[in-house]
Amino acid sequence: MKKFNFRKVLDGLTASSPGGSSGGGSGAGGGSVHPAGTAGAAGTPRDEIQETLTSDYFQICKTVRHGFPYLPTALAFDPVQKILAIGTRTGAIRILGRPGVDCYCQHESGAAVLQLQFLINEGALVSACADDALHLWNLRQKRPAILHSLKFNRERITYCHLPFQSKWLYVGTERGNTHIVNIESFILSGYVIMWNKAIELSTKTHPGPVVHLSDSPRDEGKLLIGYENGTIVFWDLRSKRADLRAYYDEAIHSVAWHHEGKQFMCSHSDGSLTLWNLKSPNRPFQTTIPHGKMQRDGKKPESCKPILKVEYKTCKNSEPFVIFSGGLSYDKACRRPSLTIMHGKAITVLEMDHPIVDFLTLCETPYPNEFQEPYAVVVLLEKDLIVVDLTQSNFPIFENPYPIDIHESPVTCTEYFADCPPDLIPVLYSVGAKHKKQGYSNKEWPISGGAWNLGAQTYPEIIITGHADGSVKFWDASAITLQMLYKFKTSKVFEKQKQGEGKATAEIVEEDPFAVQMMYWCPESRIFCVAGVSAYVVVYRFSKHEVNTEIASLEVRLQYEVEDIITPEPEIIPPFPDASSQLPSLKSLSGSTNTVACEGTMKDSIPCLSVKTRPVRMPPGYQADLVIQLVWVDGEPPQQITSLAINSAYGLVAFGNCNGLAVVDFMQKTVLLSMGTLDLYGSSDPYQRQPRSPRKSKQFAADNFCMRGLSNFYPDLTKRIRTSYQNHVNGHCTSPTSQSCSSGKRLSSADVSKANRRGPGRPPFRKAQSAACMEISLPVTTEENRENSFSRSRSSSVSSIDRDSKEAITALYFMESFARKNDSAVSPCLWVGTGLGMVLILSLNLPAGDDLRQSEPVMVSPSGTVLTLKGAVLTFACLDCTGTLTHPPYEVWRDLHSADDGEKTRKRKLVMHSPSSSQDMGDHQFAVICSEKQAKVFSLPSQTCLYVHNITETSFLLRADVVTLCNSVCLACFCANGHIMTLSLPSLRPLLDINYLPVTDMRIARTFCFTNEGQALYLSSPTEIQRLTYSQEMCDNLQDMLGDLFTPVETPEAQNRGFLKGLFGGSGQAFDREELFGEATAGKASRSLAQHIPGSGGIEGVRGAAGGVIGDLTRARIALDERGQKLGELDERTASMMASAEAFSKHAHEVMLKYKDKKWYQF
């Protein structure tokens, strides 16, 4: 037996969870580890392996988030630091700078972000949220933190404004009041502008919420307040009264100043723009409806859609820019959302692909009272971010360097490869660069703030995403960045189906029929394999050369052989609207809504899609080598593929579904094996399978989306998952893989009409809202519906096989291994795992020579070996006798379409990783097998079970991967109850168990994956990839890898205004906000109005939070300036007092002389 030292035992105990978590008391770590069986012969490798990994090597933390911010709501830009902030409906903030500078922050409340305001060049940001809280974020650290929060209790925040270089924030509310907040202390001033003081006393109606606040560029002591109903108030902060009021009969959406401060522009709900002059506020001196049609009788142009925002930016050497969103004519209903740029007499309308959330004009100066000189417009759309170049007359857009197009088509699956061959990234980039779009602006990307360096982590990483439209994207993910390398479309191998064609009825998926369901990539041989939702597999080879060739295709029949048709009982047939639903199969997820063809003949041997028969031009990159399609069998649609594996050395691809397994030779383009799962067992089937009528089973119309054998939509809370799993015997919800693709489904009458609106067999892919990309509304079964469902399904008209009978293939693995107990040497094998926890080993007999491989047949035969686990099998791996991970053999990549004849004809170069042989007859190999419930390690060839670990009793694993970390190997698992676990290999000691991520929707379950070097990822929202690490070393080094958001930059100096402008152009009196808004003058605000909450980022102000020598110097300089100013004021006051004392003395002396000689009665 292996000897464990005391330290390692403690490691195992401390890392494993005691099992006490909410929801049934089932932590993921409530499992057990115990050696099982007996060791092999005396020379067993168990005695030799020293495991190096301990719990000290593991720690979970998020690293970086990539992609477009999901559901954006707000936008802000720091014109000096040149960084951009985007707020979202989920309370997140993304801060972007130069490529590599990308920071994600989250409000704990999760409330939507209404508005963002930078403290320009101060390294701080104010966010206003929908829960009426203001937050001050410190950006002078790599992971921003909240310094202060202020929660309003009685009023709702509608608009905020922070003047440049001011520490007083104006806050407008829904009641129409304006409050003032000190940014440094985050305390409310006693100075309040009440709505009833701002409007005229004669006004009988409330002006509505504050929709705009801004100080005059000409005089900081004047505040422009815009109210929703069309009232504009110009408020004098010193005298606390309104200087002027203006009224318009249309609602105001936004206001923009001319830089001289003499006029301003408003945008309105009728699509009009009004220009106002402060000297004549009775009516606007100019009113235009830019997109309104002029009426023939000379009346006012017709109304248009509201102009939601306008910006008015001046230029020194040209006409001003007026830029606005919205305002289009109502009669053009199909027109896309637009941004209009008016420059002089030229009007340019830029149509957008998505609705506009917000936009900002980027200007050369941060000072509002100077010529603005706009050079770009940042436009935030619902699903995109674009920047328009204003310096060129055709307004081209900048090429976006951020990976914000991950969601271009909904992501349906992901794979992650760390420490892959270093030559792959340049090769993929070179073929991808040829397909880049043209016509971008030649200027540099204007959002260029922050600083980023490569850091210590240098190994190459690649992320692959599969999408609903059939496209596959390769991304360079090295050093926690993300950059698109290469994209290709799998749909190009198929004909486009025209509506109304006879063959179209063979499709089993009406929308997104090319959606990528599974991917398998061999980085060394560069062979790529994809399985699609329409039950097909495509094998791709990589070539640097364009080729024009026909695509080879094969058709495979996978049929479940058990006689499973049950005579219906007509009196309780549920009221399905179409007769087809009473056929022997009520469609699975991949089932069609019509099992009978239009002609009335039963479909048989028809594939779902048509492969192109003509020669196809394939550009450099991945080129289709072979298409394999499953076909209809006796009116039954092909079931979706649940497992996929390919091996370049063997030249074989294997895939399985709930009916059986297929093995194809992609070198000879022949089908080697197409067999039902039962036939794979032969006489060694451990189950007695009899067709039965369906159990009480409530299933959902779309519960069959198979991803690595995971089929049911998981209920959206961990507790519900656990409950459903505990109750699966009663039919509430099955384990996600134990009934992967049952041919029969029951719908309760409550669900029938809903299901038939989109067809019972429709998958969860939809263009607007797909299971991959959008939040899934997961069904919650009521007790009434459950009972209804149960009673009906006891004697259903729909055929169904009991859980035991239909057995999906859930995992496949090609390996040099021992197929049988008495084998003395390794041989090519295919390991097959099923949804019932059975493991079968198939022997592969390959022709010996390279020449014979192209002509002689490959033999595939069951070995008779059957191993068992609890739950559906998820993953396999092999270790050699030293505990080192053994990789499957592969063929070194060669370009079959190379112009060099030598490369075409040279022999295949195979790399084999056979376990080292020993003189004794002991075991030479460990087989690691993990199911959704437990992990086992077998010693081969004796097939002795050395270790067992029951990972979870009350939940199930969604993903398990054998990965390398710190030159060792471990098993990483992600559980449906949110736990992330790692186990040592081969002894399966628990090293890490953290309740990290509750599985709230199917997207997380489908996209979570681990890779080497302690990295993992999942799709955190339909548009974003979240990366995390479970390595302590990477957590320690993360600070060095992240970018800096704040860099020391001098604030540009204000332009000299000239003598005459200074004399006549504005208020000569300096405006002291401190004196006006401070506690000494304004008093304290009501305590019940707002509550101050100190943040986790520190309680001192932003300047105090600045670190480093520059921060200290800046603070010292400010302190000296303030001290000098105060000393100067003191000197002036002393001189004034001395002068007044002398004057008093003089007057007293004169009075004394006047009355010196007078008697008392003369006074």
Side-chain angles (χ1 to χ4, degrees), residues 466-539:
H467 298 263
D469 65 352
S471 58
V472 174
K473 293 180 181 178
F474 289 77
W475 306 84
D476 177 8
S478 308
I480 69 169
T481 61
L482 196 71
Q483 183 184 7
M484 170 104 117
L485 291 172
Y486 169 63
K487 170 187 172 182
F488 71 95
K489 290 186 177 178
T490 60
S491 58
K492 288 192 174 179
V493 302
F494 298 106
E495 299 282 4
K496 287 183 181 176
Q497 290 286 2
K498 294 177 183 175
Q499 292 300 320
E501 279 189 12
K503 270 198 171 181
T505 56
E507 289 188 16
I508 57 174
V509 179
E510 290 184 19
E511 290 183 34
D512 298 320
F514 309 111
V516 177
Q517 197 170 344
M518 303 181 78
M519 301 178 294
Y520 196 100
W521 189 42
C522 176
E524 291 82 8
S525 62
R526 301 186 190 174
I527 282 190
F528 187 80
C529 194
V530 64
V533 75
S534 297
Y536 62 83
V537 170
V538 188
V539 179

Side-chain angles (χ1 to χ4, degrees), residues 774-1009:
M774 298 296 176
E775 295 296 335
I776 300 172
S777 176
L778 297 166
V780 180
T781 312
T782 62
E783 287 300 323
E784 183 185 349
N785 284 347
R786 252 184 220 153
E787 285 306 314
N788 187 21
S789 160
F790 295 161
S791 61
R792 288 184 182 279
S793 61
R794 286 194 185 97
S795 49
S796 164
S797 64
V798 179
S799 123
S800 175
I801 301 304
D802 199 41
R803 189 173 83 89
D804 302 347
S805 303
K806 205 84 167 173
E807 186 174 6
I809 307 295
T810 57
L812 294 166
Y813 185 61
F814 285 104
M815 192 60 203
E816 294 282 303
S817 187
F818 299 92
R820 299 170 185 84
K821 280 189 179 182
N822 55 0
D823 283 0
S824 58
V826 293
S827 60
C829 295
L830 173 61
W831 290 67
V832 181
T834 76
L836 296 182
M838 311 305 295
V839 176
L840 309 163
I841 305 178
L842 302 187
S843 252
L844 308 174
N845 191 355
L846 299 164
D850 204 24
D851 301 332
L852 297 174
R853 179 63 187 85
Q854 299 290 347
S855 55
E856 292 293 314
V858 176
M859 304 299 292
V860 182
S861 56
S863 65
T865 298
V866 179
L867 308 173
T868 60
L869 287 87
K870 280 195 288 185
V873 179
L874 294 181
T875 193
F876 298 103
C878 277
L879 311 180
D880 66 13
C881 58
T882 63
T884 307
L885 184 64
T886 309
H887 295 280
Y890 63 87
E891 177 192 355
V892 176
W893 175 74
R894 58 192 176 124
D895 197 337
L896 295 177
H897 300 129
S898 171
D900 180 8
D901 290 334
E903 184 165 0
K904 279 185 191 176
T905 56
R906 73 176 168 85
K907 288 189 175 183
R908 298 169 69 219
K909 183 181 177 184
L910 305 184
V911 177
M912 314 298 278
H913 299 279
S914 300
S916 56
S917 58
S918 178
Q919 293 300 316
D920 56 52
M921 294 303 292
D923 291 346
H924 307 301
Q925 195 177 51
F926 292 114
V928 181
I929 308 171
C930 185
S931 75
E932 64 184 7
K933 305 294 277 181
Q934 67 176 188
K936 285 187 177 182
V937 175
F938 292 90
S939 181
L940 299 179
S942 69
Q943 296 178 12
T944 306
C945 181
L946 295 180
Y947 301 101
V948 181
H949 180 65
N950 292 316
I951 297 169
T952 176
E953 294 294 338
T954 54
S955 187
F956 46 84
L957 293 188
L958 299 169
R959 180 83 185 210
D961 290 295
V962 175
V963 293
T964 57
L965 177 69
C966 300
N967 298 316
S968 193
V969 63
C970 65
L971 175 65
C973 309
F974 176 52
C975 195
N977 62 14
H979 284 247
I980 290 178
M981 296 157 281
T982 59
L983 305 173
S984 70
L985 289 176
S987 65
L988 298 177
R989 285 180 302 114
L991 299 172
L992 173 78
D993 184 353
I994 291 182
N995 190 357
Y996 169 75
L997 178 75
V999 181
T1000 51
D1001 55 48
M1002 185 64 180
R1003 181 184 58 250
I1004 297 171
R1006 190 175 52 253
T1007 57
F1008 197 102
C1009 53

Side-chain angles (χ1 to χ4, degrees), residues 612-654:
K612 289 179 179 174
T613 52
R614 62 186 182 280
V616 177
R617 185 188 74 83
M618 299 182 194
Y622 274 104
Q623 299 167 349
D625 189 52
L626 176 65
V627 180
I628 309 154
Q629 287 185 283
L630 294 179
V631 296
W632 288 67
V633 178
D634 299 332
E636 286 286 329
Q639 299 291 340
Q640 288 186 337
I641 291 161
T642 56
S643 55
L644 177 68
I646 193 165
N647 188 282
S648 55
Y650 302 159
L652 302 180
V653 58

Side-chain angles (χ1 to χ4, degrees), residues 1036-1093:
D1036 294 341
N1037 296 332
L1038 188 58
Q1039 280 296 107
D1040 299 331
M1041 300 167 69
L1042 295 171
D1044 289 295
L1045 295 172
F1046 180 80
T1047 51
V1049 180
E1050 281 291 324
T1051 302
E1053 291 186 7
Q1055 294 175 3
N1056 292 325
R1057 298 188 66 203
F1059 174 73
L1060 290 175
K1061 274 197 175 179
L1063 195 61
F1064 304 110
S1067 167
Q1069 182 182 354
F1071 177 57
D1072 188 351
R1073 292 187 178 94
E1074 183 70 43
E1075 185 180 335
L1076 200 56
F1077 303 145
E1079 193 175 314
T1081 310
K1084 288 185 178 180
S1086 167
R1087 286 188 177 181
S1088 62
L1089 184 61
Q1091 176 189 0
H1092 175 255
I1093 305 164

Side-chain angles (χ1 to χ4, degrees), residues 521-751:
W521 189 42
C522 176
E524 291 82 8
S525 62
R526 301 186 190 174
I527 282 190
F528 187 80
C529 194
V530 64
V533 75
S534 297
Y536 62 83
V537 170
V538 188
V539 179
Y540 287 88
R541 289 181 181 271
F542 187 84
S543 175
K544 294 180 180 178
H545 302 276
E546 184 178 309
V547 66
N548 202 330
T549 183
E550 290 188 4
I551 301 167
S553 65
L554 291 172
E555 294 177 359
V556 176
R557 289 172 71 92
L558 268 184
Q559 186 174 13
Y560 200 77
E561 299 296 346
V562 174
E563 183 64 40
D564 59 352
I565 298 175
I566 300 159
T567 308
E569 298 176 26
E571 66 273 11
I572 45 176
I573 290 176
F576 284 102
D578 58 325
S580 65
S581 58
Q582 296 170 23
L583 285 167
S585 169
L586 175 65
K587 291 51 77 182
S588 70
L589 171 79
S590 60
S592 165
T593 50
N594 297 297
T595 53
V596 176
C598 301
E599 297 81 9
T601 58
M602 185 174 282
K603 289 185 196 163
D604 190 58
S605 303
I606 304 172
C608 303
L609 302 169
S610 302
V611 179
K612 289 179 179 174
T613 52
R614 62 186 182 280
V616 177
R617 185 188 74 83
M618 299 182 194
Y622 274 104
Q623 299 167 349
D625 189 52
L626 176 65
V627 180
I628 309 154
Q629 287 185 283
L630 294 179
V631 296
W632 288 67
V633 178
D634 299 332
E636 286 286 329
Q639 299 291 340
Q640 288 186 337
I641 291 161
T642 56
S643 55
L644 177 68
I646 193 165
N647 188 282
S648 55
Y650 302 159
L652 302 180
V653 58
F655 58 94
N657 63 8
C658 56
N659 287 338
L661 171 71
V663 182
V664 173
D665 182 341
F666 64 81
M667 294 177 71
Q668 295 186 25
K669 312 288 192 287
T670 57
V671 180
L672 304 178
L673 179 82
S674 173
M675 192 177 283
T677 314
L678 291 187
D679 299 326
L680 293 173
Y681 289 100
S683 59
S684 55
D685 185 2
Y687 287 95
Q688 294 298 316
R689 300 164 201 263
Q690 297 295 332
R692 306 174 191 171
S693 63
R695 282 187 183 181
K696 301 188 289 184
S697 174
K698 163 77 180 184
Q699 302 255 347
F700 309 116
D703 70 347
N704 222 351
F705 188 86
C706 301
M707 187 280 302
R708 292 183 63 88
L710 304 173
S711 58
N712 289 339
F713 285 130
Y714 311 116
D716 55 350
L717 292 174
T718 305
K719 185 174 178 182
R720 219 177 292 160
I721 291 179
R722 291 172 179 162
T723 308
S724 67
Y725 198 86
Q726 288 161 344
N727 295 335
H728 78 83
V729 176
N730 298 325
H732 294 9
C733 176
T734 60
S735 149
T737 46
S738 55
Q739 190 177 7
S740 307
C741 296
S742 66
S743 62
K745 299 250 177 289
R746 288 307 300 136
L747 294 172
S748 70
S749 57
D751 290 332

Side-chain angles (χ1 to χ4, degrees), residues 195-201 203 230-235 241-247 264 276 278 280-283:
W195 68 270
N196 53 350
K197 299 285 176 62
I199 64 171
E200 284 184 322
L201 293 175
T203 308
T231 302
I232 300 160
V233 174
F234 197 48
W235 183 263
R241 62 181 179 82
D243 265 12
L244 60 88
R245 298 179 180 92
Y247 300 95
F264 58 88
W276 301 78
L278 294 180
S280 53
N282 295 329
R283 59 188 180 86

